[in-house]
Amino acid sequence: MIRVAVDAMGSDRGARSVIEGAQQAASEALEPVIFGAAGLDTGELKLVPTTQVVGMDEKPADAFRTKADSSLVRAVKAVADGEADAVVSPGSTGAMLAAGLVLLRRVPGVRRPAIAVPIPSRQGPSILIDAGANADCRAEHLLQFATMGAVFAEEMLAIPRPRVRLLSIGEEPEKGNQLTLEAHELLAASDLDFQGNAEGRDILEGAADVLVTDGFTGNVALKAVEGTVRTLLDSLREEITASTAGTLGGFLIRPAARRLRRRLDPDTYGGAYLLGLRGLVVIAHGNSSPTAIANAIRLAARGVDHDVVGRLATRLLQPEGAEIV
């Protein structure tokens, strides 16, 4: 039985949406444990009562320090204490990072944890890393993000030797800012299957199995892709239902349209891994639907089943006494 601690109080949609998602994900092999206010109706799911909530507008370090009994901090602590195998939260990403760094700590050899997000593409899912944990980075950080992303792709997507590309403003090696130029040089000299730069327009084309970038650029790219996909899918539905002829045609293309939505909808994956910690952390969108929450919980369970944390530790282990920056 895999136990996943679920922060019910961080969602923009309220605790009910999170609880419904957890109920959808529950199975004989997966037990979501809800952390939230006393009195929440969680049905047959276990409730761990908490008295505080971390707001999206709070400073992460302050929230972690002053709200030890918040649903977010208590859920992360459950993993640290061995009471849960993974944690899922739609709450503050910064607070999750702060709690994870203090309570779970970094995997030996990891300089900075990074957010790895599965991105839908025409060629199947690829991994975008970092998607928001580190706004300012150095080239050596991007090299390590690429390594963590490659391990993730190997374990979760079953890709034997993932193709890695660097997100930049042009495919040529000399294109980009100082960070991407230096990162390109390090990646080219690594043992990764580095295939050069990729542009933003290549993200949904499946240009690589792992797209590596700094957290600022990655977060902007992620939200641009998600917004574009949702707008296109919603616009298609509106056009189909705008006329009788469109509605009739919609019946004919409905199976294909459903397959397209399942493949491209961000809710299909539900969340993102915060890689590089000694415990498994999945960050969901603040506006996650119950379906997205359910998929985020299942994503966390798959990470536990594949021992993503352990395999990352093995790949990134440094010789004893090596300095971790």
Side-chain angles (χ1 to χ4, degrees):
M1 174 71 74
I2 295 174
R3 297 164 300 167
V4 178
V6 181
D7 167 22
M9 307 305 292
S11 172
D12 295 340
R13 297 192 180 198
R16 176 45 48 191
S17 180
V18 177
I19 293 169
E20 289 178 5
Q23 290 170 334
Q24 291 179 25
S27 68
E28 293 182 357
L30 173 55
E31 179 190 2
V33 179
I34 305 298
F35 287 72
L40 286 177
D41 181 6
T42 61
E44 296 182 354
L45 299 181
K46 179 182 177 180
L47 172 66
V48 177
T50 59
T51 60
Q52 296 173 303
V53 178
V54 174
M56 289 290 189
D57 58 343
E58 296 186 59
K59 292 183 178 180
D62 292 344
F64 169 72
R65 186 174 61 254
T66 62
K67 293 189 172 180
D69 198 44
S70 65
S71 55
L72 185 152
V73 174
R74 290 280 302 278
V76 175
K77 191 173 186 300
V79 178
D81 293 343
E83 297 171 358
D85 302 299
V87 56
V88 172
S89 174
S92 166
T93 298
M96 286 294 289
L97 178 59
L101 284 170
V102 176
L103 297 174
L104 300 176
R105 296 179 296 164
R106 293 176 296 179
V107 167
V110 169
R111 292 174 171 86
R112 293 187 182 182
I115 296 174
V117 182
I119 296 288
S121 76
R122 294 179 65 183
Q123 308 300 322
S126 58
I127 303 303
L128 176 68
I129 185 170
D130 177 25
N134 305 278
D136 298 302
C137 299
R138 298 198 298 269
E140 56 266 32
H141 297 146
L142 267 62
L143 173 61
Q144 191 166 79
F145 296 165
T147 301
M148 292 195 293
V151 173
F152 181 93
E154 289 172 4
E155 295 302 324
M156 300 301 292
L157 304 182
I159 301 172
R161 184 161 170 76
R163 300 166 297 137
V164 177
R165 296 184 73 176
L166 176 67
L167 195 59
S168 187
I169 59 172
E171 294 185 356
E172 299 83 357
E174 63 273 11
K175 291 287 185 71
N177 56 17
Q178 192 61 33
L179 174 63
T180 54
L181 293 176
E182 293 176 4
H184 189 285
E185 185 176 350
L186 291 179
L187 287 163
S190 73
D191 61 356
L192 297 168
D193 185 11
F194 180 57
Q195 300 191 357
N197 291 345
E199 298 181 60
R201 65 187 178 189
D202 300 323
I203 294 176
L204 291 177
E205 289 293 325
D209 302 309
V210 178
L211 281 168
V212 62
T213 184
D214 62 275
F216 180 87
T217 304
N219 193 263
V220 171
L222 172 66
K223 290 176 179 176
V225 167
E226 290 179 342
T228 299
V229 168
R230 283 204 169 98
T231 298
L232 287 174
L233 292 175
D234 290 344
S235 297
L236 176 62
R237 184 178 64 250
E238 290 169 4
E239 288 297 322
I240 288 175
T241 58
S243 66
T244 302
T247 301
L248 291 174
F251 282 112
L252 299 177
I253 67 168
R254 180 177 293 177
R258 285 178 174 170
R259 289 194 298 270
L260 180 65
R261 176 173 286 275
R262 281 196 299 270
R263 191 169 80 239
L264 296 181
D265 193 342
D267 282 2
T268 299
Y269 302 101
Y273 285 101
L274 182 55
L275 298 179
L277 299 174
R278 300 190 190 195
L280 199 62
V281 175
V282 170
I283 298 171
H285 290 287
N287 195 37
S288 291
S289 66
T291 297
I293 292 293
N295 287 333
I297 294 170
R298 295 183 185 113
L299 189 70
R302 287 200 297 275
V304 173
D305 191 50
H306 286 264
D307 190 23
V308 169
V309 172
R311 293 182 185 276
L312 269 176
T314 300
R315 287 283 293 271
L316 299 175
L317 186 64
Q318 292 184 339
E320 187 175 355
E323 181 181 3
I324 299 175
V325 180

